[in-house]
Amino acid sequence: MAQSFLMEVCVDSVESAVNAERGGASRLELCSSLLEGGLTPSLGLLQVVKQYIKIPVYVMIRPRGGDFLYSDQEVEVMKKDIELMKTQGADGVVLGALTEDGRVDANLCMELIAAVRPLPLTFHRAFDMVHDPAVALETLISLGFERVLTSGCDSSALEGVPVIKRLIDQAKGRIIVMPGGGITERNLQRILEGTGAEEFHCSARSSRDSAMKFRNTCVTMGATISAPEYGLKVADVSKVRSLNAIAKNTL
């Protein structure tokens, strides 16, 4: 019997990519800096990930953290990144852009879609920052996006279940609405049952200690609120398998 659901795992390292595939992920979202919600990964990361795994890799195109209102120079960077990622075997692209009044930036999205073709396209969680999700969904459908990733415009997909369900009902199969944001083994069943979603997005990560023996605890490489210097978060094979099993039993 064909699998009736699809699990996408967001990863920011080769190790996480390999673990996600081993655990049963159907697709990867490849990015850097998951602490900032995911930014454009390096070409080197994409190249090496493609050497090690067989499942599709969708690449995040997001030039910086923060909002989704982009300058002309940032758009140049996004277009160049799309061009380069396509040459290195990206299977799909994940992006999003908004206007200053919280609408999907249809004009910019059309430019970026032209650069992405013929690869499939996901609109990322910029969707959760829109003024009117129902209107935004129709815009994405008219633009030709394959799917939209959303937490239901709430702090997590669990909190956003009512909105996600309304969006899936509204979509009527014209676009895939994929829940994401804080999905764990503890809440996945409730999210799938409550929304009727057939795809979901998670990171399935666990923490592990750095192998460094010498440690200078006085120095941090980033801002005050940053990841610990001597801790790593990596996709966990057992968590991916567990989420896979929950989805299989639910759907």
Side-chain angles (χ1 to χ4, degrees), residues 7-244:
M7 172 171 54
E8 177 180 272
V9 179
C10 56
V11 300
D12 60 1
S13 69
V14 179
E15 181 181 1
S16 286
V18 170
N19 287 352
E21 184 177 57
R22 281 179 56 205
S26 307
R27 182 177 62 233
L28 300 182
E29 178 194 89
L30 185 66
C31 55
S32 65
S33 195
L34 281 173
L35 195 66
E36 291 187 85
L39 303 179
T40 306
S42 72
L43 281 175
L45 179 58
L46 174 60
Q47 285 177 327
V48 178
V49 164
K50 290 290 290 184
Q51 288 171 19
Y52 280 89
I53 69 153
K54 294 183 172 62
I55 58 175
V57 179
Y58 279 35
V59 177
M60 172 69 76
I61 300 293
R62 187 178 173 214
R64 57 161 173 78
D67 66 35
F68 303 100
L69 182 65
Y70 295 115
S71 69
D72 290 345
Q73 292 90 344
E74 287 168 336
V75 172
E76 282 184 57
V77 172
M78 294 168 83
K79 288 179 177 176
K80 180 56 71 175
D81 280 336
I82 290 167
E83 178 188 323
L84 293 170
M85 296 299 175
K86 284 173 73 177
T87 67
Q88 299 304 318
D91 298 294
V93 171
V94 182
L95 56 80
L98 304 180
T99 61
E100 62 183 11
D101 57 352
R103 301 175 194 278
V104 172
D105 190 334
N107 290 332
L108 174 51
C109 283
M110 279 192 282
E111 289 182 44
L112 297 174
I113 288 166
V116 170
R117 284 193 184 107
L119 298 183
L121 201 55
T122 298
F123 194 91
H124 59 45
R125 286 189 62 206
F127 186 86
D128 291 324
M129 301 300 191
V130 298
H131 175 69
D132 186 328
V135 171
L137 189 72
E138 293 301 325
T139 303
L140 297 184
I141 291 167
S142 68
L143 287 167
F145 279 86
E146 181 183 68
R147 75 177 47 74
V148 56
L149 171 63
T150 179
S151 63
C153 305
D154 216 319
S155 56
S156 72
L158 183 61
E159 298 296 325
V161 160
V163 171
I164 296 169
K165 184 180 188 318
R166 284 203 299 272
L167 291 168
I168 290 173
D169 292 343
Q170 178 188 338
K172 292 184 172 64
R174 294 174 296 160
I175 189 172
I176 297 162
V177 178
M178 178 170 64
I183 291 182
T184 68
E185 304 98 312
R186 293 184 300 280
N187 61 30
L188 177 60
Q189 183 175 346
R190 280 179 286 166
I191 291 166
L192 294 178
E193 288 178 344
T195 63
E198 294 182 353
E199 295 193 9
F200 67 96
H201 171 100
C202 59
S203 61
R205 295 191 298 168
S206 60
S207 301
R208 66 173 166 78
D209 197 36
S210 163
M212 286 293 296
K213 290 187 170 61
F214 172 78
R215 303 186 179 196
N216 182 353
T217 54
C218 299
V219 178
T220 57
M221 293 292 112
T224 308
I225 302 172
S226 61
E229 298 298 331
Y230 297 107
L232 301 170
K233 280 189 174 286
V234 180
D236 186 316
V237 176
S238 62
K239 284 192 176 187
V240 177
R241 283 185 180 143
S242 177
L243 287 160
N244 209 11

